[in-house]
Amino acid sequence: MKRKVTLRSTLLIAAPLLLAALPALAEDGPGPIISIIGGLAPDDLLNIRATASPDGKIAARLPNGAAVKNFGCNPVNGYPWCKVEDTQDAHIVGWAPARYLSPNNPAPAPEDAAVPAAEAAAPQDGNAPQAPEAPSPDIAARLGGSEPAKPPSATDISVTAMQDAYGLAFAASATAQSDTPAPDTAGGIPCARHIGQPMTRCEISVAHEGGDSAVTVTWPDGGTRVITFHDGKPAGSDSSDEFRFTREGTLNMIRVGVSERFEITDQLALGE
C-alpha cells in the first residue's frame, strides 16, 4: 500500500513538469507545404540559392512545374524568399523567390534554416574564418551536475535546448556575414546562349562612364555581347534582337532575343 501511495505522489509532482514541457513540443512550426514552380519564361530555370539573396551561390536550378517542399518565407530587402527542398532530391535545399512558388507558405522560415548545411560546412579557403564549435553534447554536465545521481528535469532540458537553438542560429548568421564575397568580375556571370542550354559562366569586363556602364560579356565558345546600363537599370545591348529584363532585388535577369540569357547584379554592373 505504501508503494502505491508513493507512486501516486510522484506522478502528481511530475505532472506539472511534463505539462510545462508539452507546449514547447506543441509549438513546433507547421510542416512544409508543397509548392509548384511557375511564372518562368520559356526554357528558363529557377535558381535555388544557398542563401536568401540574389547574390547567393546557386545550389541548383529547377524548371516550371517542379514540386518543392516550402518550409516558410522571410522578407529580404522587401522581397519574400522561401526555404525549399526538391521533392525528388532531398539534397537540393536552398532559397527561392516566393513569386515563383504557388501556393505560398504564410509561415516564416524556421530560424535554424537561416543557413543551409552546405553553407555551414568548413570553407575550402584555409584563411576563411571557422564556425564556432557546437555546444557540448553532455547535457547533464551543462545543467550543472557531473554525477548522474539526479537526472535533469524536463524544464531544465527545455531551457537548455532553447539556448542551444539560439546559439546555433547566431553562429550560422555570423558565418554567413563573414563569408559574403566582395564584388569580383573575375568570377563571371551566369549566362546561356542557345535555347534549352543550361546556364554556364561567362567572363565579363565593365566600363563606367558617369552614372552609366557597359558590361561586355564574353561567351565561353567565343564572341561577345555588350549590355548597357543607364540610370541604374539595364537599357539595351549591341544586338538588334528584342531586349527585356526582370529584377529580383538587386539581380537583373536579362534576355536578348529568344535564347540569350544573363544574370547581372547591380554590384557588378554599377560598382555598388
Side-chain angles (χ1 to χ4, degrees):
M1 183 65 68
K2 290 183 179 180
R3 184 170 299 176
K4 291 183 180 179
V5 172
T6 302
L7 177 59
R8 290 174 181 173
S9 300
T10 303
L11 289 176
L12 290 174
I13 294 173
L17 295 177
L18 294 175
L19 291 175
L22 285 177
L25 300 175
E27 290 175 3
D28 286 346
I33 66 172
I34 300 300
S35 296
I36 305 300
I37 295 175
L40 301 172
D43 303 317
D44 264 356
L45 299 173
L46 178 63
N47 291 327
I48 307 302
R49 298 186 181 273
T51 54
S53 166
D55 299 323
K57 180 180 178 181
I58 297 174
R61 294 184 174 91
L62 298 177
N64 275 326
V68 295
K69 294 181 182 179
N70 188 332
F71 294 92
C73 307
N74 293 335
V76 179
N77 295 327
Y79 295 87
W81 286 72
C82 303
K83 181 74 175 181
V84 298
E85 175 187 308
D86 186 8
T87 57
Q88 302 299 315
D89 186 350
H91 293 91
I92 298 179
V93 181
W95 296 82
R99 64 193 183 97
Y100 294 111
L101 304 174
S102 180
N104 217 336
N105 191 340
E111 288 294 334
D112 59 357
V115 176
E119 286 289 295
Q124 296 179 353
D125 183 358
N127 296 324
Q130 301 294 323
E133 294 183 359
S136 168
D138 186 357
I139 191 168
R142 295 180 60 232
L143 289 170
S146 58
E147 298 181 1
K150 183 179 180 181
S153 69
T155 302
D156 290 338
I157 293 175
S158 299
V159 171
T160 302
M162 184 170 292
Q163 290 173 345
D164 287 352
Y166 277 115
L168 290 174
F170 179 80
S173 176
T175 301
Q177 292 178 4
S178 62
D179 288 345
T180 301
D184 184 5
T185 59
I189 62 167
C191 62
R193 192 173 193 177
H194 306 291
I195 294 177
Q197 175 189 9
M199 299 288 274
T200 184
R201 304 294 295 186
C202 290
E203 295 182 359
I204 67 168
S205 60
V206 184
H208 300 284
E209 183 176 350
D212 299 337
S213 58
V215 179
T216 301
V217 182
T218 301
W219 299 107
D221 54 354
T224 61
R225 173 71 63 231
V226 178
I227 299 174
T228 57
F229 283 71
H230 179 67
D231 290 338
K233 295 181 180 179
S237 76
D238 61 346
S239 171
S240 60
D241 292 333
E242 180 185 6
F243 181 89
R244 57 197 186 279
F245 72 94
T246 58
R247 284 175 62 86
E248 291 181 7
T250 60
L251 176 67
N252 302 284
M253 304 179 68
I254 300 169
R255 294 182 68 90
V256 177
V258 297
S259 59
E260 295 183 9
R261 290 167 283 158
F262 310 90
E263 295 184 4
I264 305 176
T265 65
D266 290 345
Q267 281 184 311
L268 289 178
L270 308 175
E272 295 181 349

